[in-house]
Amino acid sequence: MMTTEAELNLSASIGLANYPMHGDTIDEVLQNADAAMYQAKTTGKGRVYLYQHGLLESMKERVSMVADLRRSINHGGLDFYVQGKFSVDGILRGGELLCRWRSSISGTVAPAVFIPLAETHQLDKNIGILALEAACDYISMMETQGMLIPLSVNVSANQILDKNFAQLAKKICAANNISPHLIELELTESIFIRDHKNALRSLNALRTAGFRLALDDFGSGFSSLSYLRSFNFEVVKLDRSLITDIHTDNKALSLFQGIVAMLHSLQLDVVAEGVEHPEYLPLLKEANVSQVQGFYYEQPMPYDQFIQKHQKR
Ligand code: C2E
Ligand code: CA
Ligand code: CA
């Protein structure tokens, strides 16, 4: 008889709770130690975590928030606001869909809170599908209202790396009679960090399907230039931090001008986001950025308001 030998590596996540500091009864102390163990697991595994007051309550809150988010996703409880993208002179060129969630339990929850939560609990792909459907819906409504602009949708790394996504995205556009050329997918460098080979495969499939691809948040995070070499994006969106203070800080201005010149030499369209002050405009114009987006131009707003505002013009 053959025996197979395999080497197993074990690791443990440990949660600690003390009596009487973390509970009056054995059950309470154990329950808190359990919560600390889950915290050790979610903050990187192979760790020891000491229970801290409020941990169990915040975990319960998180669990109920996830359940609430799942319900909202399944029952049309998410909304997609639109923020315009403009030429520096203020002519509307496109729009970005931004997800909004008003929870029945927690009230308005910021995307910075619920998007990462959705990612940890594998709900982000559902949000991506809803966003694409909303984009198709808005584009067909705009078409009938005599105003047609391309719309951008944010797509999570999980979704981009899903090998069926390109096919699915194409299907959603076809079902709504919308050309993928009218939809720009905004993604971040995290897809390359997660899985470089699959990222390229997925991006090529999306490109072949006709979608425009934008690298979002450039200038935050690592912003490795090798990503720009390995894939030809159509658009790079400069993070707000890259334009902050360019009108008062020479170092910030040099960095901004150098990066825009480099992106232009790669034939990329450059979009500056987070434009809050008119002082930036002459510098953005001089650097020849294609589009600008930010509170100076407008806040994200519900579709109806967006169409009403821009149709008037
Ligand atoms: P993002 O894709 O970089 O979107 C731009 C964010 O900056 C939005 O925040 C927008 O409201 C905000 N913003 C726009 N102009 C200005 C400005 O002039 N100043 C400042 N300070 N902020 C400005 P929001 O809507 O809170 O979204 C935050 C992030 O959540 C987004 O960053 C994106 O990463 C994510 N997100 C939003 N909607 C979706 C979605 O449908 N799917 C996915 N996967 N992520 C989304
Ligand atoms: Ca974005
Ligand atoms: Ca961004």
Side-chain angles (χ1 to χ4, degrees):
M1 201 170 87
M2 293 264 295
T3 55
T4 359
E5 283 183 16
E7 195 173 310
L8 297 177
N9 290 311
L10 300 179
S11 72
S13 300
I14 298 173
L16 294 179
N18 287 328
Y19 174 82
M21 224 168 31
H22 301 138
D24 298 330
T25 62
I26 291 180
D27 280 349
E28 209 179 315
V29 174
L30 279 178
Q31 197 183 26
N32 289 340
D34 210 34
M37 187 265 289
Y38 277 109
Q39 188 68 7
K41 274 189 178 174
T42 49
T43 51
K45 296 186 176 157
R47 290 169 181 229
V48 181
Y49 193 92
L50 177 64
Y51 180 81
Q52 282 171 13
H53 283 292
L55 177 69
L56 189 64
E57 289 69 24
S58 78
M59 273 182 150
K60 282 182 182 162
E61 237 170 64
R62 201 160 60 201
V63 168
S64 94
M65 196 182 253
V66 172
D68 194 20
L69 179 59
R70 185 172 280 121
R71 262 194 310 275
S72 295
I73 290 172
N74 293 336
H75 296 101
L78 294 187
D79 195 5
F80 291 90
Y81 276 26
V82 187
Q83 186 184 33
K85 292 179 179 178
F86 299 85
S87 67
V88 181
D89 302 328
I91 299 165
L92 183 73
R93 298 283 186 220
E96 177 178 2
L97 266 67
L98 292 158
C99 192
R100 294 291 177 263
W101 180 38
R102 218 187 124 65
S103 148
S104 52
I105 301 168
S106 325
T108 302
V109 185
V113 173
F114 74 81
I115 294 287
L117 199 66
E119 285 171 0
T120 333
H121 293 84
Q122 283 84 46
L123 296 171
D124 51 326
K125 289 190 194 172
N126 307 38
I127 295 182
I129 291 168
L130 292 175
L132 255 180
E133 284 171 344
C136 288
D137 209 24
Y138 293 174
I139 291 172
S140 13
M141 287 194 284
M142 283 193 296
E143 212 167 4
T144 56
Q145 285 159 316
M147 182 186 125
L148 191 59
I149 50 167
L151 292 180
S152 302
V153 166
N154 292 287
V155 194
S156 75
N158 279 337
Q159 184 127 47
I160 290 278
L161 292 171
D162 178 344
K163 61 182 188 314
N164 299 318
F165 178 57
Q167 204 53 34
L168 178 64
K170 216 165 92 172
K171 233 161 115 183
I172 293 174
C173 288
N176 287 282
N177 249 328
I178 297 297
S179 161
H181 293 100
L182 287 168
I183 295 187
E184 189 170 286
L185 302 175
E186 296 190 2
L187 46 109
T188 62
E189 64 180 10
S190 60
I191 59 160
F192 295 108
I193 297 167
R194 285 265 303 275
D195 186 342
H196 197 272
K197 197 169 140 220
N198 273 322
L200 291 180
R201 187 192 43 73
S202 297
L203 294 181
N204 279 317
L206 288 164
R207 161 75 46 76
T208 310
F211 293 98
R212 273 169 69 82
L213 298 167
L215 184 61
D216 202 356
D217 300 342
F218 191 77
S220 68
F222 296 109
S223 302
S224 164
L225 301 181
S226 68
Y227 306 137
L228 296 177
R229 263 182 83 166
S230 52
F231 190 78
N232 290 326
F233 287 94
E234 269 95 11
V235 181
V236 168
K237 292 188 83 176
L238 299 183
D239 188 67
R240 186 162 65 100
S241 58
L242 265 186
I243 63 157
T244 304
D245 295 338
I246 51 171
H247 60 308
T248 52
D249 178 345
N250 279 338
K251 222 164 150 184
L253 180 62
S254 300
L255 208 58
F256 162 77
Q257 287 171 331
I259 289 174
V260 174
M262 178 213 38
L263 295 172
H264 280 155
S265 72
L266 293 169
Q267 264 82 52
L268 287 156
D269 277 352
V270 178
V271 177
E273 24 173 34
V275 180
E276 291 178 353
H277 307 291
E279 290 87 343
Y280 294 148
L281 303 188
L283 297 167
L284 295 172
K285 198 167 182 156
E286 189 186 293
N288 215 7
V289 302
S290 325
Q291 287 177 19
V292 283
Q293 189 181 351
F295 295 164
Y296 171 69
Y297 290 89
E298 70 185 19
Q299 296 269 344
M301 61 190 92
Y303 172 79
D304 290 347
Q305 255 180 45
F306 181 81
I307 195 84
Q308 228 178 13
K309 176 178 175 201
H310 293 290
Q311 242 185 347
K312 274 195 208 138
R313 293 188 171 178

